[in-house]
Structure formats: structure tokens, C-alpha cells
Amino acid sequence: MGRWMKPEVYPLMAAMTFVTSMCVFQLTRNMLLNPDVRIDKARRSKGVLENEEEGERYAQHGLRKFLRTRPPQVMPSINHFFSQDK
């Protein structure tokens, strides 16, 4: 028979799975989209790339453009609730 995991382990497994998937996502994004990462030999032979436009597109991605218009608070309604004078 197989061993059963204790129920206390599941939240830890969920958190570790989330963190691992975020790391894999970022590494894949960097490898495929970052203009400074050169995998093939032909692009590695160039010392300095002339790709300022591509680098700007990579740095100013859609999420950053969306967050630029948002307030810098994580939970504005909760912050407003606790900062009100009673």
C-alpha cells in the first residue's frame, strides 16, 4: 500500500508548485523574448546588438502598460477602510 500524505502538506505543496511554475514561466519568457539572451551561435557572435526597439518592446510589455494606469495600492478599499477616522 502507498503512504498517505498528511493534509497539512497540501498548502505547502500548492505554494511550492506556484513558485516553481512562476520560475519556469520567467525563465521561458526570458529565453524566448529577451533580446539580450542569444541562444543560437550566429547571434552570439555579435558583440553589441542594434536592437533598441526590440528591447523597448520587451521592457514595456502589456502588464506594465496596464499597471501604469492603476493606483500603487494593493487593496485600495481595505486601505481606505482602515485609514478613515471614526
Side-chain angles (χ1 to χ4, degrees), residues 38 45-51:
R38 297 175 288 237
S45 64
K46 294 182 182 179
V48 177
L49 295 177
E50 301 293 332
N51 59 355

Side-chain angles (χ1 to χ4, degrees), residues 36-49:
D36 288 334
V37 176
R38 297 175 288 237
I39 298 173
D40 57 340
K41 211 170 205 177
R43 289 181 62 203
R44 275 187 288 168
S45 64
K46 294 182 182 179
V48 177
L49 295 177

Side-chain angles (χ1 to χ4, degrees), residues 5-68:
M5 286 193 301
K6 294 182 180 182
E8 298 88 24
V9 176
Y10 291 118
L12 178 63
M13 286 179 56
M16 291 305 294
T17 302
F18 175 74
V19 168
T20 304
S21 66
M22 290 303 294
C23 289
V24 169
F25 169 75
Q26 184 59 34
L27 287 172
T28 305
R29 178 178 177 263
N30 241 353
M31 185 176 69
L32 297 176
L33 299 177
N34 192 342
D36 288 334
V37 176
R38 297 175 288 237
I39 298 173
D40 57 340
K41 211 170 205 177
R43 289 181 62 203
R44 275 187 288 168
S45 64
K46 294 182 182 179
V48 177
L49 295 177
E50 301 293 332
N51 59 355
E52 294 159 4
E53 180 182 322
E54 187 180 359
E56 188 68 25
R57 268 197 331 248
Y58 176 79
Q60 301 301 327
H61 50 81
L63 179 62
R64 183 170 285 174
K65 288 178 185 175
F66 170 73
L67 291 176
R68 190 177 296 141

